[in-house]
Amino acid sequence: VASKRLRRFVQARDQHCVFPGCHRRVTDFDHRIPWPIGPTSAENGQLLCRHHHRAKQAVFTVERGADGDYLWTTRGGWQFLRHRQGY
């Protein structure tokens, strides 16, 4: 479970759902690398609306680059890029 401080940081950084083109109200703090394998941290955390949280679990893997961009990849190899928002 993410602390309140960590959630506030990730909310300021991501601002809304990190799926490319989505501006839905954020409802979930998500671990890019599923917990307990991935840590509960700013580097592994991201904000997702419920719809894209479920889609990620079913279809996508997500990578976050050093520049803050998110690369979403389907199991079939299609890729979608979301440029960094916030800070």
Side-chain angles (χ1 to χ4, degrees):
V1 174
S3 68
K4 287 182 182 182
R5 184 176 182 183
L6 177 59
R7 285 179 186 268
R8 283 193 308 268
F9 174 81
V10 173
Q11 285 174 339
R13 181 192 70 199
D14 294 346
Q15 297 183 359
H16 52 77
C17 178
V18 299
F19 188 83
C22 183
H23 297 284
R24 290 186 179 144
R25 182 176 170 265
V26 176
T27 56
D28 298 335
F29 176 93
D30 176 59
H31 292 81
R32 279 184 305 103
I33 302 167
W35 187 87
I37 298 167
T40 300
S41 67
E43 289 302 310
N44 193 40
Q46 62 188 8
L47 298 179
L48 295 175
C49 67
R50 183 63 47 96
H51 174 78
H52 288 118
H53 192 174
R54 289 182 179 150
K56 179 199 156 243
Q57 292 173 332
V59 180
F60 291 96
T61 59
V62 182
E63 298 174 52
R64 184 170 181 270
D67 57 1
D69 291 351
Y70 288 89
L71 181 64
W72 289 67
T73 306
T74 67
R75 291 183 182 154
W78 289 66
Q79 294 187 322
F80 304 90
L81 182 65
R82 179 200 181 253
H83 293 289
R84 185 185 83 184
Q85 315 254 319
Y87 69 89

